[in-house]
């Protein structure tokens, strides 16, 4: 059982005693007279806010399906499956804003320490500090049980892949079917590391040990999973329910979950096979790139997406001369609109990046190894190494001819089910419905992969649970400037979409896209406050109404939209 905070709006005076008590309880000294003198002011976890529906206490809801945990790529947030309690290891937090993007109220940024904080309901106290300080008892506590759904499934679940979707499927299968047996097959020799952290590793902003977002012993001991590492799935016999591995091993399964992820797209430009041309998709890529990183060396990154720009920032942090060559008219073309893209380009240029938009590499030149690149306009640029960041391609070739339906990725429904009995798929190797377009799409985003994996893992063992499909969202931070993109932010690509710019100042750009009274997209540059509310409205398709959306400005967004997001948990597993 987990403890959660309750709030009675009718009893609240708005005195903010809870905020003060919360801040002091989470200070270094635990005393008011000393806390106010601390060099880093303590950050409150509970906030009293005025909304159009009255006073509200913004706090963690201890969700049964905590989206903040799904979004966390560093392993700082983790949910105890037995008690349902979400724990935050602040030492592992990267301040990447992913959890802030998906949580409407419970997660907050601690600017003084450059990390996130969340309400822990004062686990080490008999009574939470905010509850003890509330003079009218508007705040209280209640016990919340972990999901009661259980399955008597005792068969063998084989999961292929050990990134977000694979681990999530493993966690869900074990949680809902304690009696089943689970085997994870992974091509990775180190099966539990987080791929989104590779650029952090190259910048030397994290220790190599921090790559593991789940400890190996967590899989083998806590979840009682058999791990087969360093081998690949090579063939599937769906009638016999046999999985063939490239070392000759044959595994029988009762349920198979394919979570083989995707690989980086490579360029076919002349010279692409020269030494010094890389992608950045796995740990081996990062290790080979690391060997060439020295101050003053020239690096060229092909592609201006999120991974490409994270790589550029990492190289700049290492003192290198860096250029980005981007075919689109602006950076982050799949994530932001032209105005935000222009701002991102200027931000990188101010920090030393040579940006070439609307350009393509026509040749990678060198003898034994890369020495320079040639662009389509004739410009020649020096290059000691080249990193290609032009998107992903699902790892599904080994399934062709097996009878499993494949489009760009494995075709699945919202539960992760394929057309083959007993076979499920999730994550970057699968395509699922985009709720905005109704068409199948490969998301390629960590939180979506995790949620798809959890849906597939629970459904595979008999507890049906749907994901929300190929949701669009991403959070980035470049040179300490945060960016959040939710849904479709380019209204011209959405039939009937209407755009509304809420803020347009030199350091801040905030924009909404809505259609038929629903939030279809949100773009936040420089100020990401309210991201969690906007994401939940988009994710849950909560009708707000065009008349309210048309009247919004930067001052009324949180007050007007907050009440539409239910404070009690939205995403739940079936009982």
């Amino acid at each position: 059982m987990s403890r959660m905070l309750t709030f009675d709006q009718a009893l609240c005076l708005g005195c903010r005693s809870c905020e003060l008590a919360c801040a002091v309880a989470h200070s270094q000294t635990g005393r008011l007279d000393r806390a106010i003198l601390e060099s880093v002011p303590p950050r409150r976890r509970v906030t009293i806010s005025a909304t159009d529906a009255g006073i509200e206490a913004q706090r963690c809801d201890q969700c049964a399906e905590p989206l903040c945990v799904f979004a966390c790529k560093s392993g700082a947030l983790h949910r105890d499956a037995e008690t349902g309690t979400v724990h935050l290891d602040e030492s592992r937090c990267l301040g990447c804003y992913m959890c802030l993007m998906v949580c409407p109220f419970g997660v907050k940024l601690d600017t003084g320490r450059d990390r996130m904080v969340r309400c822990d309901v004062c686990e080490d106290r008999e009574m939470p500090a905010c509850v003890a300080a509330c003079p009218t008892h508007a705040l209280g506590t209640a016990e919340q049980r972990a999901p009661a759904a259980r399955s008597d499934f005792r068969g063998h679940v084989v999961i292929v892949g050990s990134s977000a979707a694979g681990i999530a499927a493993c966690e869900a299968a074990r949680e809902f079917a304690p009696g089943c047996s689970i085997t994870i097959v992974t091509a990775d020799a180190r099966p539990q590391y987080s791929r989104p952290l590779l650029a952090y590793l190259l910048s030397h902003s994290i220790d190599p040990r921090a790559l593991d977002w789940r400890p190996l012993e967590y899989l083998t001991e806590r979840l009682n999973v058999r791990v087969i590492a360093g081998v690949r799935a090579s063939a599937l016999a769906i009638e016999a329910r046999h999985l063939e591995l490239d070392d000759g091993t044959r595994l029988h399964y009762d349920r198979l979950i394919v979570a083989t992820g995707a690989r980086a797209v490579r360029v076919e430009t002349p010279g692409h096979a020269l030494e010094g041309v890389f992608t950045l998709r796995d740990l081996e890529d990062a290790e080979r790139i690391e060997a060439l990183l020295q101050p003053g060396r020239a690096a060229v990154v092909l592609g201006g997406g999120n991974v490409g720009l994270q790589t550029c920032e990492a190289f700049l942090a290492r003192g290198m001369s860096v250029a980005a060559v981007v075919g689109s008219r602006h950076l982050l073309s799949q994530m932001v609109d032209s105005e935000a893209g222009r701002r991102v380009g200027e931000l990188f240029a101010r920090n030393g990046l040579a940006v070439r938009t609307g350009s393509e590499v026509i040749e990678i030149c060198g003898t034994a190894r890369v020495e320079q690149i040639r662009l389509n306009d004739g410009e020649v640029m020096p290059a000691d190494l080249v990193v290609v960041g032009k998107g992903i391609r699902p790892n599904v070739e080994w399934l062709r001819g097996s009878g499993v339906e494949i489009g760009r990725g494995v075709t699945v429904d919202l539960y992760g089910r394929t057309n083959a009995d007993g076979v499920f798929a999730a994550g970057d190797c699968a395509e699922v419905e985009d709720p905005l377009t109704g068409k199948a799409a490969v998301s390629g985003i960590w939180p979506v992969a995790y949620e798809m994996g959890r849906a597939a893992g629970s459904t595979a063992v008999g507890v049906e649970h749907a994901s929300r499909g190929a949701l669009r969202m991403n959070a980035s931070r470049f040179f300490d400037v945060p960016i959040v993109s939710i849904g479709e932010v380019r209204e011209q690509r959405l039939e009937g979409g209407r755009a509304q710019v809420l803020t347009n100042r030199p350091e801040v750009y905030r924009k909404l896209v809505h259609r038929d009274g629903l939030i279809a997209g949100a773009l936040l540059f420089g100020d990401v406050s309210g991201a969690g509310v906007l994401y939940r409205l988009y994710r849950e398709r909560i009708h707000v109404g065009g008349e309210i959306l048309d009247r919004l400005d930067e001052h009324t967004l949180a007050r007007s939209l907050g009440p539409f997001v239910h404070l009690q948990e939205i995403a739940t597993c079936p009982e």
Side-chain angles (χ1 to χ4, degrees):
M1 298 178 68
S2 63
R3 185 166 67 177
M4 62 181 293
L5 291 177
T6 61
F7 176 68
D8 187 338
Q9 186 184 72
L11 297 178
C12 182
L13 302 175
C15 68
R16 300 187 182 275
S17 296
C18 56
E19 293 183 355
L20 179 61
C22 180
V24 172
H26 292 91
S27 66
Q28 297 177 18
T29 60
R31 289 180 49 176
L32 175 59
D33 57 340
R34 296 182 181 178
I36 59 177
L37 300 175
E38 291 176 8
S39 57
V40 178
R43 185 74 162 93
R44 64 186 184 273
R45 275 69 164 164
V46 174
T47 305
I48 298 297
S49 299
T51 73
D52 287 350
I55 297 175
E56 187 54 69
Q58 297 181 357
R59 65 209 187 274
C60 178
D61 282 334
Q62 295 291 331
C63 304
E65 291 289 286
L67 301 187
C68 59
V69 174
F70 298 178
C72 181
K73 58 191 180 186
S74 70
L77 284 163
H78 183 62
R79 173 178 170 271
D80 187 312
E82 295 179 2
T83 66
T85 302
V86 174
H87 300 281
L88 170 62
D89 181 352
E90 294 185 13
S91 68
R92 297 182 64 89
C93 179
L94 301 172
C96 68
Y97 293 93
M98 292 294 282
C99 61
L100 187 72
M101 173 181 63
V102 301
C103 176
F105 303 120
V107 175
K108 296 175 174 61
L109 174 64
D110 186 343
T111 54
R113 296 184 300 158
D114 194 27
R115 63 185 59 169
M116 301 298 165
V117 295
R118 63 176 292 280
C119 175
D120 56 7
V121 205
C122 291
E123 294 174 336
D124 57 343
R125 293 169 176 257
E126 184 176 348
M127 179 183 294
C130 59
V131 175
C134 181
T136 62
H137 306 295
L139 281 167
T141 61
E143 296 296 326
Q144 179 173 264
R145 293 184 178 274
R150 287 291 184 271
S151 168
D152 58 3
F153 176 80
R154 293 182 175 275
H156 185 204
V157 180
V158 175
I159 300 167
V160 187
S162 63
S163 193
I167 299 297
C170 181
E171 291 174 339
R174 176 59 68 224
E175 178 178 348
F176 295 110
C180 74
S181 61
I182 303 174
T183 298
I184 283 185
V185 177
T186 175
D188 293 309
R190 184 174 170 178
Q192 70 283 6
Y193 75 91
S194 172
R195 283 181 172 80
L197 301 192
L198 293 175
Y200 293 85
L201 184 67
L202 292 177
S203 69
H204 286 182
S205 58
I206 63 170
D207 184 278
R209 292 170 295 183
L211 280 178
D212 292 342
W213 69 292
R214 296 287 191 267
L216 180 60
E217 58 270 21
Y218 167 78
L219 296 175
T220 58
E221 299 175 14
R222 180 72 183 272
L223 298 183
N224 191 24
V225 172
R226 177 191 179 197
V227 177
I228 302 177
V231 296
R232 297 178 183 275
S234 58
L236 175 64
I238 59 176
E239 295 297 331
R241 300 204 175 201
H242 285 157
L243 177 71
E244 303 281 348
L245 307 184
D246 64 1
D247 65 354
T249 301
R250 174 181 291 180
L251 291 177
H252 173 78
Y253 66 86
D254 296 295
R255 303 289 185 272
L256 176 70
I257 301 173
V258 179
T260 46
R263 61 190 181 280
V265 172
R266 297 181 179 273
V267 294
E268 299 300 326
T269 305
H272 69 275
L274 284 171
E275 184 73 22
V277 180
F278 305 95
T279 58
L280 181 59
R281 187 64 183 174
D282 56 36
L283 185 56
E284 290 73 22
D285 291 334
E287 291 171 344
R288 288 191 289 266
I289 292 171
E290 172 65 34
L292 296 178
L293 300 189
Q294 292 182 13
R297 280 190 168 178
V300 175
V301 175
L302 307 183
N306 208 38
V307 173
L309 293 187
Q310 287 179 342
T311 305
C312 288
E313 187 175 17
F315 290 169
L316 289 167
R318 299 288 297 274
M320 301 183 70
S321 172
V322 190
V325 178
V326 184
S328 305
R329 294 183 178 180
H330 62 81
L331 301 181
L332 293 180
S333 61
Q334 299 303 307
M335 179 175 164
V336 304
D337 65 7
S338 58
E339 173 58 25
R342 178 187 66 80
R343 293 173 184 238
V344 174
E346 292 177 348
L347 173 65
F348 270 88
R350 288 196 301 271
N351 285 276
L353 181 68
V355 181
R356 300 290 188 271
T357 55
S359 300
E360 296 289 349
V361 172
I362 61 171
E363 185 179 8
I364 300 174
C365 310
T367 51
R369 58 172 302 103
V370 60
E371 297 172 7
Q372 57 189 23
I373 65 166
R374 190 184 308 278
L375 304 184
N376 54 350
D377 62 0
E379 181 179 4
V380 175
M381 307 180 74
D384 294 303
L385 72 152
V386 173
V387 176
V388 181
K390 288 184 168 289
I392 60 173
R393 182 168 291 135
N395 292 320
V396 295
E397 288 76 11
W398 67 279
L399 285 170
R400 296 194 185 278
S402 67
V404 174
E405 183 180 345
I406 298 173
R408 184 181 173 214
V410 179
T411 303
V412 299
D413 65 9
L414 296 178
Y415 298 86
R417 294 179 292 222
T418 71
N419 64 308
D421 184 46
V423 179
F424 300 76
D428 296 355
C429 69
E431 59 178 20
V432 67
E433 180 182 326
D434 179 329
L436 282 179
T437 65
K439 299 178 180 179
V442 174
S443 172
I445 301 297
W446 181 275
V448 174
Y450 188 101
E451 188 174 0
M452 289 177 68
R454 187 160 173 82
S458 59
T459 303
V461 298
V463 179
E464 292 198 347
H465 181 55
S467 75
R468 290 298 195 275
L471 296 172
R472 310 183 209 180
M473 78 284 210
N474 216 332
S476 304
R477 186 176 66 163
F478 300 116
F479 306 106
D480 293 327
V481 176
I483 306 169
V484 164
S485 176
I486 298 166
E488 179 57 78
V489 301
R490 297 151 296 183
E491 67 280 3
Q492 63 272 19
R493 298 194 179 189
L494 186 67
E495 184 177 356
R498 299 170 57 189
Q500 187 171 353
V501 176
L502 303 178
T503 315
N504 191 0
R505 301 195 301 270
E507 303 300 324
V508 178
Y509 176 68
R510 291 161 63 85
K511 169 186 173 182
L512 292 184
V513 175
H514 53 93
R515 179 176 66 178
D516 300 330
L518 299 171
I519 297 290
L523 178 55
L524 310 175
F525 176 95
D527 175 6
V528 297
S529 60
V533 169
L534 294 170
Y535 173 71
R536 289 299 182 99
L537 293 174
Y538 155 72
R539 170 190 167 85
E540 309 300 333
R541 299 184 61 78
I542 297 172
H543 189 269
V544 176
E547 65 284 356
I548 293 177
L549 294 172
D550 286 338
R551 294 198 306 267
L552 286 177
D553 58 38
E554 60 181 311
H555 304 293
T556 61
L557 186 146
R559 189 184 72 234
S560 298
L561 297 186
F564 284 93
V565 179
H566 301 296
L567 291 178
Q568 299 306 312
E569 64 189 54
I570 295 173
T572 59
C573 262
E575 294 298 322

